[in-house]
Amino acid sequence: MVRLEDGFTRRALQLKSSDTDNQDILSAERNSIVGTLSPGNINIREHLQLWQEQQDISETNVAQPDNLKHSIKHGHVQVARPKEDEALIANSPEDEFFDHEFDIVNSLEDQALGPTDRRRLQQGDMVEFVSNTGPILAVFIRKIDFQAQFYTMHGKCFHRRYHADHAASFMVPNMMLPEDVATIIPYLPTDRVQVDKLDRVESLDVNVPREAGANMVRKMRAFQKAADRTYRRFAPKLDNAHKIMAHETDYRYATLQEVASKVLQAPGSVPRLSFSQSTLWAVHRALSQGDRGFSQDFISKNYEILPMTEINVIKKVRQWVRGYQEDVVADSTAMSSWNSTTGSLSKVNKAKSNVVSQFVRKAQILIEKSREHRAVTKMGSIGPSSIKFNPPESTHRWAIRYHDDIQFTAEELDILHFLNIWAARLVHHASLSSIGPMILRATGMYEGADLNASTAIVFLMELGTMAPWQNRVVYNSKLALPGHGFSNAIDHAKSQASDARLTRATLKDSMEDLRTDWGDMEVFCIDASSAGEIDDGVSLEPADGSSYWVHIHVANPSAFIHPEHELAKYACALTESVYFPERAYPMFHPSISQSFFSLAKNRPSITFSAKVSAEGDFTEIKVTPGRIHNVIYLEPQTIDRELAGEGYEAETTLMLSVGGDPPPVSGRRLIHKSLTASQKTVLLKLTELGEARRRKREAEGGISFPRSDQNPSVYGPGLYLASIYGARARQFLGGPIISWEANPTSQPGSKKGTLVSDLMLLACEIAATWCSQRNIPIIFRGNRTTQDLPAAQKLRKEFQDPLLAKHGAAHQQRISEYVLLVGRPEPSASPIPHIIIGAKAYSKVTSPLRRYGDLVAHWQIEAAIRHEASTGISLVGNTDNSYLPFSYFQIQSLLPHITHRELHISTAKHYSTRHWIFQLLFRAFYFQEAKLPDTFHMSVWHMALEKSGKTLGVMKEFNLLCFFSDNSLTEAHGLNPGDLWEVKIVEVDTYHLRVVVDPIRFIEADKSLL
């Protein structure tokens, strides 16, 4: 029996007491359905026991853990009306799931080095925010600490978290003149507001002069009136926008300009290339209405256009649910009538024949089965299976088993599709957030739970249409991973690439005559033994005096695959390889990358070289196609241990595993576990030169990043199974094995793992400098905006530089503050300085097997090398780029696609990693599948007072973000950034990926912040 909470035991399905005949019908239906799945007519319990005996499995009682306070009860079937005011919401569903505060902590390096195409808010910009009452126009006034201050069209003021400017759904740059803004500044708050005041529109003091801010109010109201006129003029077309833009079955994507051009143009006319900002806002407002079939991408601000098939599903299910509610109401108020057949009074129960009613009865049966062996929770997941398998120690293949269960009708599959769009795909549509909860309520199985998307995920898991461990990121249609039906273009490109066979006989090396043979030079490839392909390696060669040639050898697929090859087209569509703990979506199939291009003995490479002095300067650079022979494979921990010598101290890590012991990892190549004396000498010198170059970059404003490796491993068959569209429900027995070596927060001054990162950054500097000298357009990355640069420089002078001098590195909290001030880098077809790195030019070139942007750079560089070789003339200072495969404008046109894909993929990879970490913590904390420490050390984070009344901190043992609320201890001591507290876990939320802790003891202030 499933014990739910406080002595509450799972009972038979409970329906409305007035529906007395429902119980008999349900009982008969349950027996008939179960009978089709079990030998004879035994019940599900007996069926599972029989399966246990046949399959060598053991079962434990399903008990609700004592520490799981948030359980769910069975309840009564109820009727509810949809909320008509939910068409406009404060934030998109994506903003709820993809909480960008996590990125500041868990992906700090990617935040600083990854691209963005978002223009940072500047004073005078006008933005639209969406509230529960409608759109609000407001002007950005200034940044106060890490809050952004706005002045609205109604003459009011509000504050938002500064790094949440992605929530602005529409922006007009430079709408207001500086003198307009200056009139209101003296009357606005000068300090940051408290938590409960964030996002709240506040009236100003009644004594504020009417002329203060008057020009801004007039301009915003005039802007709104102009947009209203446009809306009225084109109302029929705007109301019909989805039919004009949508495809029958495919997702489409368009900018606001493209939608306006298509929707507003007259038939047969030439599409307009530009529209006024007020016209664009009118179109944006039309598309943002909750039932129009458009969903704005929170990264690019472009619009995803749902296919007609999905809109039709939403409409059908909405009609069915409303019909079901009407039938239930009619049945509850109907009078009994004489039934001549039975000779008695009876009621006609219309609701029983409704599609939703049939689906609900089937769902109740499936939920009952699930709760026989899995606990139900409010934490966005259901508990692990009480049915355990005993697989051989050497394999994980039998850790999970599946049973096909009840078959769904076509109409029921539509309801499941509807729930999937709402809960897993995070699509913005008014009917989803209103009709979805009504379906959950109709089951009567989730009493006491919030009937939201998180509970809907639990519902799908209990139905067996979603695996209990499913990584929901793969359902993101904007991510458009191949094989999931979200992008026909990517699926087609993958199919074409799969048909493009490569053999050694067909491979043609475009750089063959120009390759340098590196002979016996040792090339050190440093990566984990589990790495599928090796992109890069390093070597050292003496130069003159105290200088050395540092060589970074990189895999060279671009010399064999031209830009129009089918493999290149798929690489462009996917943009980069996507690695999740449970599966990979490689840019090149392993049979290609590992067989032909991954660095190995006698393989081709392209080498980026610099003559580096002991002080970290490089005076010469060169790029050389070549071939390497003497390859030494090493793991990062081997480098750390061997170079440290007798003083080496391994980092204390916490190894956690649930579901069983992970199987041994089979290496793909011979890994050297030790170094010879000469190899140590070479690697020590490479380390010294890399550190010297890093110090040079730091002197130019660059910063170094603490290592933060969070790589859980997952084992089990069919982990990526997405059966939501299958015709049958499934029972998932057993569960995946998850293991995780939790890396603690890196301490300031730690030098572990810096060799590779230092030298890869050097390679990126070399490539960008080499191309800059020749005016070759590639995908450069850097910082254009200098708005907050003075504040960033002040922060460096007061905090960063003293920390560098004292500890050798800055605290990650100070680093995050610096990144927020400087801003994420932007892509560019021409070189721009990269302030965060401290480089005059920077471009990623070290991973051509995994990133399309690196391939583009290689194609451009190789064309230049061939041109210089054929003409005998250096291209330094050249302005004629006719010999290149990509012109400046072609590179420029690639930037939006690559940037948006990289941002989506980066976000998805971080959340996938955290998904599996939280699956492990959920099972360890609530179900004791692994022993967790009783308490942890938590450092208060600088965003602490800006998140719904809870303080943010970092659990140092896990390097994981957590939340906690004030209690008597924190109130007595106070909270300061960097304070170290002893805490205990009280909640693990697998839907929002949040850990909540309770502070139990103050330890000390973090001196490295001071």
Side-chain angles (χ1 to χ4, degrees):
M1 302 295 283
V2 181
R3 192 165 188 79
L4 292 176
E5 66 171 290
D6 301 331
F8 184 88
T9 304
R10 187 185 59 78
R11 57 182 181 269
L13 296 173
Q14 181 177 5
L15 304 176
K16 287 183 61 177
S17 57
S18 58
D19 296 333
T20 52
D21 52 347
N22 270 0
Q23 296 181 0
D24 295 334
I25 294 171
L26 181 57
S27 177
E29 189 169 331
R30 183 179 193 273
N31 289 336
S32 66
I33 294 175
V34 172
T36 64
L37 301 175
S38 311
N41 281 318
I42 62 176
N43 62 29
I44 185 63
R45 187 75 173 180
E46 294 167 341
H47 177 65
L48 293 177
Q49 288 174 344
L50 178 61
W51 176 252
Q52 171 185 342
E53 295 169 2
Q54 294 173 341
Q55 302 297 330
D56 185 28
I57 58 180
S58 60
E59 180 180 5
T60 59
N61 291 330
V62 181
Q64 199 73 6
D66 293 336
N67 59 356
L68 188 54
K69 304 301 182 184
H70 303 279
S71 58
I72 295 172
K73 298 179 181 180
H74 294 358
H76 297 280
V77 177
Q78 298 177 354
V79 177
R81 297 190 178 278
K83 298 180 180 179
E84 300 296 339
D85 61 348
E86 288 188 356
L88 293 173
I89 57 176
N91 291 297
S92 72
E94 283 179 316
D95 285 329
E96 179 184 3
F97 181 62
F98 295 111
D99 188 336
H100 296 268
E101 281 179 341
F102 286 99
D103 293 338
I104 301 299
V105 179
N106 291 335
S107 57
L108 185 57
E109 184 170 358
D110 196 64
Q111 287 283 307
L113 302 184
T116 184
D117 64 344
R118 300 176 195 154
R119 178 185 179 277
R120 299 189 75 188
L121 286 176
Q122 298 181 18
Q123 190 176 81
D125 291 348
M126 184 177 72
V127 296
E128 178 207 62
F129 291 108
V130 182
S131 72
N132 57 355
T133 60
I136 297 175
L137 288 177
V139 176
F140 174 63
I141 303 299
R142 58 188 169 187
K143 184 168 69 68
I144 302 174
D145 289 339
F146 290 95
Q147 293 180 358
Q149 187 179 70
F150 296 90
Y151 184 70
T152 77
M153 60 184 295
H154 303 297
K156 298 181 180 181
C157 173
F158 68 91
H159 287 215
R160 293 183 64 84
R161 288 175 292 133
Y162 180 66
H163 67 282
D165 59 324
H166 66 273
S169 52
F170 182 86
M171 180 175 72
V172 181
N174 305 314
M175 180 70 177
M176 304 300 169
L177 298 173
E179 51 265 33
D180 293 333
V181 179
T183 62
I184 195 63
I185 285 182
Y187 305 101
L188 297 179
T190 57
D191 297 323
R192 58 186 290 168
V193 301
Q194 295 300 314
V195 177
D196 58 348
K197 299 288 187 180
L198 280 172
D199 297 336
R200 286 183 54 181
V201 179
E202 302 283 347
S203 298
L204 300 181
D205 189 279
V206 294
N207 296 316
V208 174
R210 295 186 62 181
E211 62 272 15
N215 280 343
M216 289 194 292
V217 170
R218 279 194 293 269
K219 287 181 180 180
M220 284 187 278
R221 289 182 176 176
F223 184 89
Q224 183 185 42
K225 288 179 181 179
D228 289 344
R229 288 194 297 270
T230 299
Y231 195 99
R232 289 192 295 269
R233 177 185 174 190
F234 293 104
K237 290 186 175 182
L238 292 172
D239 291 343
N240 206 36
H242 185 262
K243 289 183 180 179
I244 296 172
M245 297 295 300
H247 187 269
E248 181 65 23
T249 58
D250 297 349
Y251 285 83
R252 285 181 170 175
Y253 300 87
T255 66
L256 184 57
Q257 178 74 38
E258 289 167 343
V259 175
S261 179
K262 181 86 173 191
V263 172
L264 302 184
Q265 71 174 349
S269 63
V270 177
R272 288 181 59 178
L273 298 179
S274 64
F275 293 88
S276 68
Q277 292 287 356
S278 61
T279 297
L280 291 176
W281 190 48
V283 176
H284 165 77
R285 286 167 57 191
L287 305 184
S288 299
Q289 294 183 32
D291 57 355
R292 292 297 175 87
F294 292 85
S295 182
Q296 192 177 31
D297 180 5
F298 78 104
I299 286 177
S300 68
K301 301 305 179 186
N302 293 340
Y303 296 84
E304 180 184 60
I305 308 165
L306 271 64
M308 294 301 301
T309 50
E310 295 209 338
I311 293 297
N312 291 335
V313 164
I314 292 172
K315 290 180 178 178
K316 279 193 295 185
V317 174
R318 179 176 59 193
Q319 181 179 356
W320 293 338
V321 171
R322 288 176 174 171
Y324 168 75
Q325 286 203 308
E326 292 170 359
D327 289 344
V328 171
V329 171
D331 290 344
S332 66
T333 58
M335 299 293 292
S336 298
S337 58
W338 181 259
N339 188 319
S340 58
T341 303
T342 61
S344 63
L345 289 172
S346 64
K347 289 185 178 182
V348 177
N349 196 328
K350 297 173 62 178
K352 291 179 187 176
S353 60
N354 187 282
V355 171
V356 175
S357 180
Q358 296 172 3
F359 173 77
V360 164
R361 289 198 294 272
K362 205 171 276 188
Q364 290 167 332
I365 294 169
L366 290 168
I367 292 170
E368 280 286 298
K369 290 183 181 181
S370 174
R371 294 182 186 180
E372 289 285 347
H373 63 96
R374 289 186 186 272
V376 57
T377 79
K378 292 183 183 177
M379 294 292 102
S381 187
I382 57 179
S385 173
S386 64
I387 299 172
K388 305 295 183 184
F389 298 100
N390 301 307
E393 293 183 0
S394 60
T395 180
H396 63 275
R397 290 178 58 100
W398 304 112
I400 306 170
R401 301 181 193 180
Y402 311 91
H403 279 305
D404 283 338
D405 207 306
I406 296 175
Q407 185 161 349
F408 295 108
T409 65
E411 292 82 2
E412 291 164 348
L413 286 174
D414 281 338
I415 296 175
L416 291 171
H417 193 171
F418 175 97
L419 293 168
N420 176 259
I421 295 171
W422 171 41
R425 298 251 302 281
L426 305 172
V427 169
H428 174 38
H429 193 284
S431 293
L432 297 173
S433 56
S434 58
I435 299 297
M438 295 162 61
I439 297 173
L440 298 179
R441 184 175 288 109
T443 68
M445 304 297 284
Y446 297 98
E447 180 184 348
D450 293 329
L451 302 183
N452 52 21
S454 176
T455 302
I457 291 292
V458 171
F459 178 57
L460 293 173
M461 290 177 176
E462 292 201 286
L463 292 188
T465 59
M466 177 181 287
W469 51 82
Q470 181 66 54
N471 179 5
R472 300 191 307 280
V473 168
V474 301
Y475 291 111
N476 184 355
S477 53
K478 300 179 185 70
L479 184 60
L481 293 173
H484 294 279
F486 295 128
S487 172
N488 283 341
I490 288 182
D491 288 344
H492 177 72
K494 182 181 180 182
S495 175
Q496 294 294 104
S498 299
D499 294 338
R501 304 289 181 184
L502 282 186
T503 65
R504 297 194 184 279
T506 60
L507 285 174
K508 180 173 174 56
D509 185 358
S510 65
M511 308 301 290
E512 182 175 8
D513 296 336
L514 301 175
R515 292 200 181 276
T516 295
D517 192 312
W518 291 99
D520 291 333
M521 179 179 288
E522 290 180 317
V523 176
F524 300 95
C525 296
I526 305 167
D527 211 332
S529 59
S530 59
E533 60 273 326
I534 302 299
D535 274 296
D536 49 68
V538 297
S539 65
L540 185 71
E541 186 178 8
D544 50 79
S546 61
S547 296
Y548 289 82
W549 279 103
V550 176
H551 304 298
I552 300 94
H553 308 271
V554 179
N556 197 201
S558 54
F560 300 84
I561 302 171
H562 60 79
E564 295 302 318
H565 195 280
E566 298 301 336
L567 291 171
K569 292 179 181 178
Y570 176 61
C572 179
L574 188 63
T575 305
E576 68 174 83
S577 296
V578 183
Y579 297 104
F580 296 154
E582 76 274 23
R583 72 171 300 181
Y585 302 81
M587 193 172 78
F588 292 128
H589 193 276
S591 64
I592 294 173
S593 60
Q594 295 177 20
S595 300
F596 301 115
F597 304 127
S598 178
L599 290 188
K601 183 178 180 180
N602 302 328
R603 289 276 174 89
S605 68
I606 186 166
T607 300
F608 300 91
S609 306
K611 185 191 288 187
V612 183
S613 69
E615 293 76 28
D617 296 305
F618 58 77
T619 55
E620 294 182 47
I621 60 172
K622 55 187 179 182
V623 182
T624 313
R627 191 173 296 275
I628 59 176
H629 304 283
N630 190 5
V631 179
I632 310 296
Y633 297 111
L634 297 165
E635 292 181 298
Q637 58 266 34
T638 301
I639 298 290
D640 293 338
R641 183 186 67 249
E642 292 288 302
L643 298 191
E646 296 181 359
Y648 175 74
E649 292 184 8
E651 286 185 334
T652 302
T653 60
L654 182 62
M655 178 62 75
L656 298 172
S657 180
V658 297
D661 295 326
V665 178
S666 57
R668 296 179 173 88
R669 59 191 67 85
L670 177 63
I671 305 293
H672 291 248
K673 297 298 184 182
S674 61
L675 299 173
T676 65
S678 62
Q679 290 171 343
K680 286 183 182 180
T681 300
V682 169
L683 289 167
L684 280 170
K685 180 56 67 175
L686 284 171
T687 301
E688 291 174 9
L689 295 171
E691 290 177 352
R693 184 61 199 160
R694 187 189 340 131
R695 288 193 295 270
K696 281 290 182 182
R697 289 194 299 267
E698 289 170 349
E700 296 297 324
I703 55 176
S704 301
F705 306 97
R707 192 176 68 180
S708 178
D709 298 326
Q710 304 283 18
N711 298 308
S713 299
V714 188
Y715 309 92
L719 288 173
Y720 51 86
L721 183 69
S723 60
I724 194 74
Y725 299 112
R728 303 186 77 94
R730 279 189 168 183
Q731 291 183 48
F732 296 88
L733 307 178
I737 298 170
I738 310 172
S739 66
W740 177 39
E741 186 177 6
N743 289 311
T745 304
S746 296
Q747 297 300 315
S750 173
K751 296 181 180 180
K752 290 185 172 66
T754 60
L755 169 61
V756 174
S757 60
D758 285 341
L759 297 186
M760 293 309 110
L761 283 178
L762 175 60
C764 295
E765 280 190 278
I766 295 168
T769 303
W770 195 90
C771 290
S772 299
Q773 293 170 345
R774 293 159 176 78
N775 293 307
I776 298 173
I778 58 175
I779 302 173
F780 296 95
R781 301 165 195 260
N783 305 91
R784 295 183 187 275
T785 304
T786 59
Q787 174 185 350
D788 291 322
L789 191 55
Q793 292 170 337
K794 183 179 181 218
L795 177 69
R796 273 198 67 94
K797 183 176 180 180
E798 294 181 359
F799 295 103
Q800 299 276 70
D801 292 343
L803 288 171
L804 285 170
K806 185 176 181 180
H807 300 285
H811 192 283
Q812 64 182 130
Q813 177 175 322
R814 296 302 185 194
I815 294 174
S816 71
E817 293 171 353
Y818 187 73
V819 170
L820 284 173
L821 289 171
V822 174
R824 288 181 63 161
E826 305 171 37
S828 172
S830 56
I832 53 178
H834 201 303
I835 297 172
I836 296 176
I837 291 176
K840 294 179 180 178
Y842 172 84
S843 178
K844 294 182 178 181
V845 294
T846 59
S847 296
L849 297 178
R850 299 185 291 110
R851 291 193 298 252
Y852 179 72
D854 297 39
L855 270 179
V856 171
H858 285 213
W859 281 318
Q860 299 286 80
I861 290 170
E862 288 161 9
I865 292 173
R866 290 193 298 266
H867 192 276
E868 289 184 337
S870 65
T871 63
I873 301 173
S874 171
L875 288 169
V876 172
N878 173 69
T879 57
D880 178 14
N881 292 332
S882 58
Y883 65 91
L884 292 172
F886 296 91
S887 69
Y888 174 88
F889 295 104
Q890 286 175 311
I891 295 291
Q892 195 73 24
S893 66
L894 273 174
L895 299 183
H897 166 74
I898 290 178
T899 300
H900 299 158
R901 291 288 301 164
E902 286 182 349
L903 285 167
H904 275 297
I905 290 169
S906 172
T907 301
K909 287 192 293 189
H910 288 304
Y911 279 82
S912 294
T913 297
R914 290 176 52 227
H915 164 81
W916 288 106
I917 290 173
F918 274 75
Q919 284 289 312
L920 183 150
L921 294 177
F922 173 77
R923 290 165 62 176
F925 177 66
Y926 290 122
F927 300 94
Q928 290 77 51
E929 289 197 24
K931 174 62 177 174
L932 295 175
D934 294 330
T935 63
F936 297 85
H937 295 90
M938 185 211 70
S939 177
V940 176
W941 194 250
H942 74 273
M943 308 302 294
L945 300 179
E946 303 190 42
K947 183 68 180 180
S948 304
K950 292 185 182 294
T951 295
L952 271 74
V954 178
M955 297 172 66
K956 298 181 78 69
E957 289 83 357
F958 289 165
N959 196 24
L960 200 66
L961 194 72
C962 62
F963 296 86
F964 70 92
S965 299
D966 284 350
N967 59 19
S968 58
L969 290 175
T970 60
E971 290 174 358
H973 181 272
L975 290 173
N976 297 293
D979 282 355
L980 192 63
W981 286 81
E982 184 180 5
V983 299
K984 64 178 181 180
I985 297 177
V986 295
E987 182 178 301
V988 178
D989 184 341
T990 64
Y991 183 82
H992 295 101
L993 304 181
R994 294 174 185 168
V995 173
V996 179
V997 299
D998 263 352
I1000 59 176
R1001 183 174 67 91
F1002 172 74
I1003 300 175
E1004 63 179 0
D1006 192 336
K1007 300 297 192 300
S1008 65
L1009 278 171
L1010 305 176

